[in-house]
Amino acid sequence: MRGDFQQARTQDDLMIVRAELVAGAKLSKARVGFDFGMRGTTPQPDLILREANLGIEVKARRLDALNDLEKQLESALADLELPPIVNVSCDERPLTTKAASRDTIVEAILNRIQNGEFGSFVTQLDQPWAATAQVAVEISISDQRDMFKTEDGKGVALTDTPAVQVSSGWTLSGHLQDVEAKVLAVLTDEQKVRQAHAMPTILLVDAARTGMAWIRPPHIWAARLAEQLPQDTPFVGVGLMIPTLDNPDASFSIALRPNAPEEPLPAARKLIHDLGSAAGANSVTPPTSTTSSPRRSSLPLNAPVRASHSKT
């Protein structure tokens, strides 16, 4: 097994390791032979098919603006002896925020708490790079001691109530456009591009923690990726997977570039078929359902995979 576990130092590192293992387990279950590419030498994709001149480069993206804001608020309120309850809500769910924008919101909340200004107010979250350039964020600050009164008029704090509560509406049109943009942006990552030039490669993005990407069905993802896949990318195609904690399998959606070289296309189409993946219109429609379903006896998730290369 690879030395990635020892090298992993951050949450992002661990996410990438997990994504590669999920992809490897999926290949193993479909009985697609592969090896892990080598690191530290000539650029190679993360996974290399044994019976075809085709590689798979894996990327994991964690993007969750509201969760980032929630964690920052929790840290800011942790030093208060009796923190109020802060509720943050918005209709359109932002995908990413800049640290400066979060700092402004947190500072406004702390100033109101310090001045005893409880109640609600609305601020604007500017994100000119996003499909929705400005998101209205409503913030409500409640003094815990005002929630329950005893007979002597003193307040009782709700010590088990989370100090920060974050919620969002289900207006996701702009949000999902932003997810698409972030997935396709990986196609221009310099390191990934170098690996794509090493051999015919499909880019596979783990989007399980990329906003609300999981809410869109695999066949819709495949169609959207096919519509937007740039013609000038060096990748043969792009795929998206959304693993979950309650299922050892993962749904795959793959779109192939219409003007990709002919040589790797048969292997790429066979891979889509073997994985039972949803395919973009410019790729191939597998004869199975758009979600993963085994067509033969399959290996268990923890079946050993022989790796002739160690990517350390």
Side-chain angles (χ1 to χ4, degrees), residues 10-24:
T10 67
Q11 184 183 40
D12 289 343
D13 292 334
L14 293 173
M15 283 181 59
I16 292 174
V17 171
R18 179 179 182 273
E20 293 178 10
L21 292 177
V22 169

Side-chain angles (χ1 to χ4, degrees), residues 26 30 37 44 94 96-97 127 136 139 180 199 212 219 244 279 294:
K26 182 82 170 184
Q44 286 186 336
T96 63
T97 57
Q127 44 180 25
I139 299 170
E180 293 169 0
M199 68 180 301
M212 301 285 283
H219 68 282
T244 61

